[in-house]
Amino acid sequence: MNMSKAWLVFKKDWTEIKRNWQVLLPIIIVPIIFSVVLPAIVLGISGTPIEDSQSGDFDTLIGILPLDIQAQLSNFNPNQIMVYIMVLYFFAPFFLIIPVMASSVLGSDSFAGERERKTIEALLATPLSDSELFMGKVLVSFIPAMLVTFVSFGIYTVLVDVMTYSMFNGILLLPNLNFLIIILGVAPVLALCSIGLTVMISAKVKGFKEAQQISVLLLIPVLGLVFGQISGLLVLGPLVLALLIGLFAVIDVVVFYLGVKVFQREEILSKPA
């Protein structure tokens, strides 16, 4: 596989995507909500007196946190406990939604969007190999999705640290180890898994909207992690996150292998727009 040829597919697709607000709006609005609205919630909570009984609602989650974190929380007042748990644990899994959502929207536009724009025939007639074409479609979803994820996390980190600086006596809550593993480790392998599956779906269905509706189902496992951490059933600590990285890395290899195998130019060309 020649990566320079795959890069040509990326540049061509990105030029088209930049002009398509139907694709761009979701991957701009959702990250803004997570990176700006969530810190605003923290600010609202930090300014409202909280009773000990209310902070006790987090007992289930606190009970399964590492002992050093529990010891640290024992020195905090109810307001600090509430903010700490929400900023570092409740909101953390939401940043796995961003790469999956962004990559699925971009991936849905790959083959299905090209078919609707009547440009798929010219692309498939090029001397690119199936793997080069597939990889080009992956790149045009992966690179923007990860850029959006990194920028969103950067904004979230700055806003949270500014809003909680005085509350925690100058201690900066972010970035911490768990968040860094999520953003730099879990998010990329999760995005690649989502992209591989979405591009395969996009190559099989008739249009962009149909591909996007099906790819939304890929959010279900991520939402499971969100509700699992919020409910206190699990904690996305370093060990759990490392296991997730390994699991999705294996799935990525399988998905990409199958993606190239099931890719059939004749079938894609035969589908009506």
Side-chain angles (χ1 to χ4, degrees):
M1 181 175 61
N2 189 331
M3 284 301 297
S4 63
K5 292 182 179 180
W7 192 252
L8 291 176
V9 177
F10 166 85
K11 290 193 289 186
K12 181 197 75 68
D13 278 18
W14 180 241
T15 300
E16 296 174 356
I17 288 173
K18 287 190 296 184
R19 299 193 295 261
N20 190 345
W21 284 100
Q22 183 182 14
V23 175
L24 289 179
L25 278 178
I27 66 176
I28 293 175
I29 293 175
V30 173
I32 288 176
I33 292 174
F34 288 154
S35 60
V36 177
V37 175
L38 294 186
I41 294 174
V42 172
L43 180 62
I45 293 173
S46 64
T48 304
I50 297 173
E51 300 294 333
D52 284 308
S53 59
Q54 290 176 284
S55 64
D57 294 338
F58 296 107
D59 283 348
T60 302
L61 178 56
I62 293 173
I64 58 176
L65 291 176
L67 294 178
D68 58 328
I69 300 297
Q70 293 186 40
Q72 185 179 11
L73 291 176
S74 66
N75 298 318
F76 290 166
N77 62 45
N79 273 71
Q80 290 174 316
I81 292 174
M82 177 80 75
V83 171
Y84 188 96
I85 293 296
M86 294 192 72
V87 166
L88 299 184
Y89 292 95
F90 274 25
F91 294 158
F94 285 101
F95 283 86
L96 293 177
I97 294 176
I98 295 175
V100 173
M101 181 277 305
S103 60
S104 65
V105 171
L106 293 166
S108 298
D109 188 62
S110 56
F111 290 110
E114 291 242 31
R115 190 178 295 115
E116 290 183 347
R117 294 189 293 269
K118 310 294 184 182
T119 59
I120 189 68
E121 292 83 358
L123 177 63
L124 296 178
T126 60
L128 297 170
S129 68
D130 291 349
S131 58
E132 290 164 351
L133 184 55
F134 189 82
M135 182 56 67
K137 294 295 186 181
V138 168
L139 289 175
V140 80
S141 302
F142 180 74
I143 294 176
M146 292 313 302
L147 284 176
V148 168
T149 301
F150 293 154
V151 170
S152 300
F153 174 63
I155 295 172
Y156 177 78
T157 297
V158 171
L159 290 180
V160 165
D161 284 343
V162 169
M163 291 177 179
T164 61
Y165 185 80
S166 60
M167 182 180 191
F168 287 88
N169 301 316
I171 297 175
L172 299 180
L173 299 183
L174 291 171
N176 69 347
L177 179 60
N178 283 358
F179 250 110
L180 290 176
I181 296 175
I182 287 173
I183 300 299
L184 300 178
V186 181
V189 294
L190 187 58
L192 286 172
C193 179
S194 172
I195 292 165
L197 292 172
T198 303
V199 171
M200 290 169 62
I201 293 169
S202 182
K204 297 294 182 181
V205 300
K206 294 181 179 180
F208 167 73
K209 291 183 178 179
E210 184 180 357
Q212 190 173 9
Q213 289 169 355
I214 296 174
S215 64
V216 167
L217 296 175
L218 300 174
L219 285 172
I220 293 177
V222 179
L223 292 176
L225 293 175
V226 172
F227 291 117
Q229 177 133 305
I230 289 176
S231 64
L233 294 176
L234 61 85
V235 172
L236 296 179
L239 178 58
V240 173
L241 294 173
L243 292 173
L244 287 175
I245 292 172
L247 172 63
F248 281 109
V250 172
I251 295 174
D252 289 345
V253 173
V254 175
V255 167
F256 278 73
Y257 175 79
L258 293 177
V260 175
K261 284 289 185 181
V262 304
F263 178 83
Q264 297 178 357
R265 296 185 183 220
E266 294 77 11
E267 183 180 350
I268 295 173
L269 285 169
S270 66
K271 290 183 180 295

